[in-house]
Amino acid sequence: MALAFDEFGRPFIILREQEKKSRLQGLDAQKANIAAGKSVARILRTSLGPKGMDKMLQSPDGDVTITNDGATILELMDVDNQIAKLMVELSRSQDYDIGDGTTGVVVMAGSLLEQAEKLLERGIHPIRVAEGYEMASRIAFDHLERISTKFEFSATDIEPLVQTCMTTLSSKIVSRCKRALAEIAVKAVLAVADLERKDVNLDLIKVEGKVGGKLEDTELVHGIIVDKDMSHPQMPKRIEDAHIAILTCPFEPPKPKTKHKVDIDTVEKFQTLRGQEQKYFDEMVQKCKDVGATLVICQWGFDDEANHLLMHRNLPAVRWVGGVELELIAIATGGRIVPRFQELSTEKLGKAGLVREKSFGTTKDRMLYIEKCANSRAVTIFIRGGNKMMIEETKRSLHDALCVARNLIINNSIVYGGGSAEISCSIAVEAAADRHAGVEQYAIRSFADALDAIPLALAENSGLPPIDTLTVVKSQHVKESNPHCGIDCNDVGTNDMKEQNVFETLIGKQQQILLATQVVKMILKIDDVITPSEY
Amino acid sequence: MERVMKDDTIQEKGERARMASFVGAMAIADLVKTTLGPKGMDKILQSTGRGRSVTVTNDGATILKSLHIDNPAAKVLVDISKVQDDEVGDGTTSVVVLAGELLREAEKLVNMKIHPMTIIAGYRMAAECARNALLQRTMDNKGNTDKFRSDLMNIAMTTLSSKILSQDKEYFAELAVDAVLRLKGSTNLESIQILKKPGGSLKDSFLDEGFILDKKIGLGQPKRIENANILVANTAMDTDKVKIYGARVRVDSMTKVADIEAAEKQKMREKVQKIIAHGINCFVNRQLIYNFPEELFADAGILAVEHADFEGIERLALVTGGDIASTFDNPESVKLGHCKLIEEIMIGEDRLIHFSGVAMGQACTIVLRGASEHVLDEAERSLHDALCVLSQTVNDTRVLFGGGWPEMVMAKEVDQLARKTPGKKSHAIDAFSRALQAIPTIIADNAGLDSAELISQLRAEHHKENSTAGIDVITGNVGDMQKRGICEAFKVKQAIILSATEAAEMILRVDEIITCAPRRREDRM
């Protein structure tokens, strides 16, 4: 342990309470870290690909989640080990950046670590391994660029986009109706996309779920769905050509923020105060009426009296609408959020062609549809499904699909899927390795081996003999110099991914390789782990 | 291996995980299995909370809702049962049993080393085929009102026959159909009020066309009003508070207190005057009415009812066609509710207010009578199931026969599909058909019949085209379902097939269970 002696031979302590901490150093530390990283990767390995299995996770509170989304599994796993936490982070950053390939990135990092372990055992310095990996990742990165193809689509020809989204969805439980969902995702993204600036604001796509019905009932609504109903049961359930006042102020007398008191000491004061109050309510409603609003959406509640007045004046209202929803409504209807009644004016009203309330099932569930909005850019995907877990999983899957569609709009380069890109990179890296003199050559070669892990896992999950399949495909790559060959997971009969229409985005793949390499480098550089053993 | 997860986290992999989820799911299915069918048994549930209250029920969703379950796969089944309840209201047991049977068959296939994904692919094909088979055989009597009504009656009787109300099922089926037809296509079951009053027998239950409010009439107020004008309100009738923030009363002498009190009283008097000015003779408020205004109302000969619950108010407004008012400044624009007669009636020992001859016929009240609270609770649940199914059927008028008929029809089609399909999938499709046949088997078993004999007879019967045979549990034979009038709603059956397959699929796809350590409750004592 960290114990040092001064010139008189007396020991002094460097680490406080060192006996209470456990410490790993040198090769041991690296091996322990690698083992932790690998074990995380091993959990996710079986979830890869269209035939990947799901994981069932029970949270500390007893809620059950069933998913095969890598990022979600890791997030809910309640990981304790620091290195394992790094892997969780890795998956999460892939999720934030690209939205898809969260499982692949972890599997790749795990296999890189596995290869690194072998190199370390042969006495190669971890830094040299890291440098070799870095070089190899650059080679792979450039190679991906080379084998990528531009991918043509336009707002009218969405078929290619749908195909890509279907690849993403095919590994999820929703694969039963992947076609329909892929179309929904693509239409949603195109609705909010700015094709000229190549920008997509996914915030404009709201994903709502409601238990019940079939997955096939999932629909794309050009407008907003709010999980609220009209404040008064007798208000109209359907409003056409609605002019919407979006308010963040309550239908109540003002509450000045400064401390104050109103003292009532005479009967007159009591009566005037009462009169004023009544007038106040009246004016508020009148104000809304005056600017021509036919629907009031309010962030706050209002009391029964105001509610009745609104109802009375034929002004339907919705109360307790959340802030985010309010913003979306404002964007969709082209209205402005009004914080004070005084500022209400006709220009600030939002417009929607149709607002209707829809009820579901046998319980008292109602939702408000705001459709045919002035600004048609905001859309909602409304998911139905047999149970809560199904809906949650569908939400996650759709999120992946949306991200893929977005990435394609931002950058329309693609590489072929089914492990073909990895195999192709692996061959390229292998070939490049020989040109590097020095220890790094070994690391680069290992990197090539590590890349094979993804097609291997794909084949294994699909019930194919992994090594046989991989070698066949690899030789095909070299012989026919066809970089589109991959693993035939669905037993279609061909392993040309171009024919199968299986592709992934270029940036997604590139990001996977870069992120995985970075994390592995970071883990390799650690040579001392100090943990407080009891806390 | 390095420990990655927190202490107490349980990780189960591969075979073990699959076994754990199969066992859990099947245990749940077996638990509710005995309640299936007309001769299904009930369960007693005792709560762990204070009072150890007891529920006796036969409703799958109610049983499963009250269980504390630790197995994650079992939770999936509980969830589908709940959704079934919310969505169509009936078939909550069947859906769990079918999902359980599907998993039981899947377990056998997994043991034969068939990959779960292959099983799922087979199940999906089979479910699609089963649904189409049902679709082709549905009957739709939308156009013919009389026939449709008899369909509804049959459905209601079939639903009720497995419940506590089965003794008087015809009577209750009549009640339920009447109530639902009054809704005129709306699925809003809130306008059917169910009142439970212990005493009497189940047969004494009745449907009332008007509306019954479980409240007493204030003292000294008229007990009977003809041609009533009703104002339904939601307003404070105690002291009307000044709502401006920070306002408070501060006085320096006793006389001023008296003044303010008088002003307050005056205010209330004005309010009452305004209400009376609407020209009403009945006033129903959601909130409290204090003694003083009540006295004023009594003086004016107006019947005032306080503290009606919110749903009651909404229903009353719906029934009488009035607005729910909260301010009373312009009487001309407030729509008043009307009814022919308001009177106080006695049910058992309780006095209730009865509104009859209401303007809008949409709402009605079903008064349930019965020997004990438990009987009434169960009766309410059964009736609720029947009402749900009926209201769904009114919208989707497709009808099927019952008594295991749909299962046999589907099993036959699925069997044929299995023979046509090459590859391992056909085993899964076969398994699906066996799972479907398990349902009539369980129904027969629960009735104490020789299921093996009956099912084989039934299958032979179904080999003919367009057979209408099913199990007649009462006589213990295979019978013609059309003649016996045993019907089920298509929507319910479809929901059962789809969600059971979905749930089975979800559980099958799992190859690893990670159970996080339960959150420790901090002892604050």
Side-chain angles (χ1 to χ4, degrees), chain A residues 24 32 35-37 39-40 42-43 46-47 50-64 66 68 73 76-81 84 170-176 211-216 232-234 253-256 260-267 270-271 273-274 276-278 281 303-306 308-309 311-313 359-366 384-390 393 461-463, chain B residues 1-7 9 11 13 18 21 69-73 75-76 79-80 83 85-89 115-117 124 128 131 187-190 234 240-251 256 259-260 263-264 266-267 270 274 286-287 310-311 314 317-318 322-327 329-330 333-334 384 388 391-392 494 498-499 502-503 505-519:
Chain A
L24 282 172
S39 71
V40 173
R42 208 173 314 139
I43 292 173
T46 52
S47 288
K51 294 271 164 106
M53 305 294 277
D54 288 6
K55 308 275 173 257
M56 191 183 265
L57 298 142
Q58 193 167 19
S59 79
D61 300 322
D63 297 332
V64 178
I66 298 179
N68 91 9
I73 297 174
L76 296 174
M77 225 161 58
D78 209 5
V79 168
D80 201 25
N81 185 292
S170 62
S171 66
K172 316 278 176 186
I173 195 167
V174 295
S175 58
R176 186 156 48 98
V211 179
K214 309 190 285 291
L215 199 54
E216 282 85 352
H232 196 289
Q234 288 171 327
K255 290 176 181 167
H260 72 290
K261 267 184 216 128
V262 183
D263 280 347
I264 303 171
D265 49 10
T266 61
V267 176
F270 179 78
Q271 273 158 352
L273 211 55
R274 213 181 93 214
Q276 269 170 0
E277 191 189 281
Q278 269 173 354
F281 275 123
D303 67 358
D304 296 330
E305 213 161 308
H308 174 71
L309 270 176
M311 153 80 193
H312 205 76
R313 300 283 190 91
S359 55
F360 296 99
T362 59
T363 45
K364 199 174 122 183
D365 274 344
R366 295 199 196 95
R384 307 300 311 273
N387 54 43
K388 205 171 61 212
M389 291 159 216
M390 191 77 193
E393 180 66 2
N461 291 345
S462 316
Chain B
M1 193 187 98
E2 184 74 1
R3 199 169 47 80
V4 175
M5 250 83 74
K6 283 199 178 126
D7 300 343
T9 302
Q11 198 181 351
K13 285 192 168 192
R18 215 166 276 137
S21 46
I69 291 169
D70 206 29
N71 186 298
K75 279 189 183 155
V76 176
D79 205 46
I80 56 168
V83 173
D85 195 25
D86 289 350
E87 193 61 17
V88 283
H115 195 269
M117 285 296 167
R124 276 184 186 170
E128 192 57 40
R131 213 190 109 200
T187 50
N188 187 3
L189 290 179
E190 274 167 52
N234 177 13
D240 214 354
K241 286 171 219 94
V242 175
K243 287 188 200 77
I244 293 171
Y245 181 69
R248 61 172 188 177
V249 179
R250 179 185 242 167
V251 288
K256 284 200 172 151
D259 281 354
I260 292 208
E264 230 170 47
Q266 182 58 32
K267 188 183 151 196
E270 275 168 22
K274 269 191 225 157
R286 184 169 88 86
Q287 298 175 23
F310 198 76
E311 277 172 19
E314 265 183 42
L318 198 69
D323 285 345
I324 300 176
S326 291
T327 55
D329 290 328
N330 16 9
S333 62
V334 174
H384 173 255
C388 285
S391 69
Q392 294 293 334
Q494 174 183 285
L498 291 181
S499 31
E502 230 166 56
E505 189 180 313
M506 263 186 127
I507 294 172
L508 269 176
R509 283 176 69 105
V510 172
D511 77 334
E512 185 155 342
I513 302 176
I514 298 170
T515 314
C516 294
R519 204 183 292 284

Side-chain angles (χ1 to χ4, degrees), chain A residues 333-472:
Chain A
T333 60
R336 293 268 293 278
I337 296 176
V338 181
R340 244 168 299 206
F341 281 99
Q342 290 78 6
E343 289 169 19
L344 208 57
S345 66
T346 316
E347 308 87 65
K348 286 180 182 165
L349 294 181
K351 284 174 194 65
L354 179 65
V355 178
R356 63 194 165 100
E357 205 181 88
K358 201 176 165 189
S359 55
F360 296 99
T362 59
T363 45
K364 199 174 122 183
D365 274 344
R366 295 199 196 95
M367 286 195 140
L368 206 64
Y369 282 58
I370 302 173
E371 286 171 301
K372 295 183 194 156
C373 302
N375 177 1
S376 63
R377 299 261 316 272
V379 294
T380 306
I381 299 175
F382 187 50
I383 301 173
R384 307 300 311 273
N387 54 43
K388 205 171 61 212
M389 291 159 216
M390 191 77 193
I391 293 208
E392 289 303 313
E393 180 66 2
T394 313
K395 268 189 195 170
R396 281 189 289 268
S397 312
L398 263 179
H399 168 251
D400 284 6
L402 290 174
C403 288
V404 168
R406 177 196 62 179
N407 293 340
L408 276 177
I409 288 174
I410 294 172
N411 181 350
N412 65 350
S413 302
I414 50 149
V415 290
Y416 286 89
S420 67
E422 282 86 359
I423 298 173
S424 179
C425 283
S426 156
I427 294 169
V429 172
E430 182 91 50
D434 297 336
R435 283 198 294 278
H436 283 268
V439 187
E440 283 86 359
Q441 193 189 88
Y442 270 80
I444 296 176
R445 210 167 276 143
S446 298
F447 191 90
D449 285 343
L451 280 173
D452 286 344
I454 297 222
L456 277 177
L458 277 179
E460 211 176 304
N461 291 345
S462 316
L464 301 167
I467 296 180
D468 282 356
T469 321
L470 179 64
T471 47
V472 168

Side-chain angles (χ1 to χ4, degrees), chain A residues 133-192:
Chain A
Y133 275 3
E134 178 67 38
M135 281 178 208
S137 76
R138 239 175 291 136
I139 298 169
F141 189 87
D142 293 340
H143 183 72
L144 280 176
E145 192 90 54
R146 232 170 300 131
I147 60 167
S148 71
T149 23
K150 283 284 172 204
F151 171 84
E152 293 310 322
F153 67 91
S154 60
T156 45
D157 177 24
I158 58 166
E159 189 55 31
L161 280 177
V162 175
Q163 292 286 353
T164 321
C165 287
M166 270 164 67
T167 310
T168 312
L169 291 174
S170 62
S171 66
K172 316 278 176 186
I173 195 167
V174 295
S175 58
R176 186 156 48 98
C177 45
K178 59 180 174 183
R179 172 88 216 175
L181 287 180
E183 269 171 22
I184 287 176
V186 171
K187 278 183 194 150
V189 170
L190 282 179
V192 301

Side-chain angles (χ1 to χ4, degrees), chain B residues 97-98 101-102 105 123 430-440:
Chain B
V97 172
L98 183 59
E101 288 303 323
L102 283 174
E105 293 294 336
Y123 276 7
D430 232 7
F432 194 91
S433 140
R434 277 199 298 280
L436 283 172
Q437 286 176 31
I439 295 211

Side-chain angles (χ1 to χ4, degrees), chain A residues 110-130:
Chain A
S111 103
L112 282 174
L113 285 173
E114 206 173 313
Q115 295 295 336
E117 194 178 13
K118 284 184 201 148
L119 293 177
L120 293 182
E121 266 167 17
R122 298 167 81 170
I124 298 176
H125 194 272
I127 296 293
R128 304 298 285 273
V129 178

Side-chain angles (χ1 to χ4, degrees), chain A residues 207-221:
Chain A
V207 182
E208 267 290 338
K210 192 115 209 157
V211 179
K214 309 190 285 291
L215 199 54
E216 282 85 352
D217 296 338
T218 303
E219 56 177 345
L220 177 70
V221 179

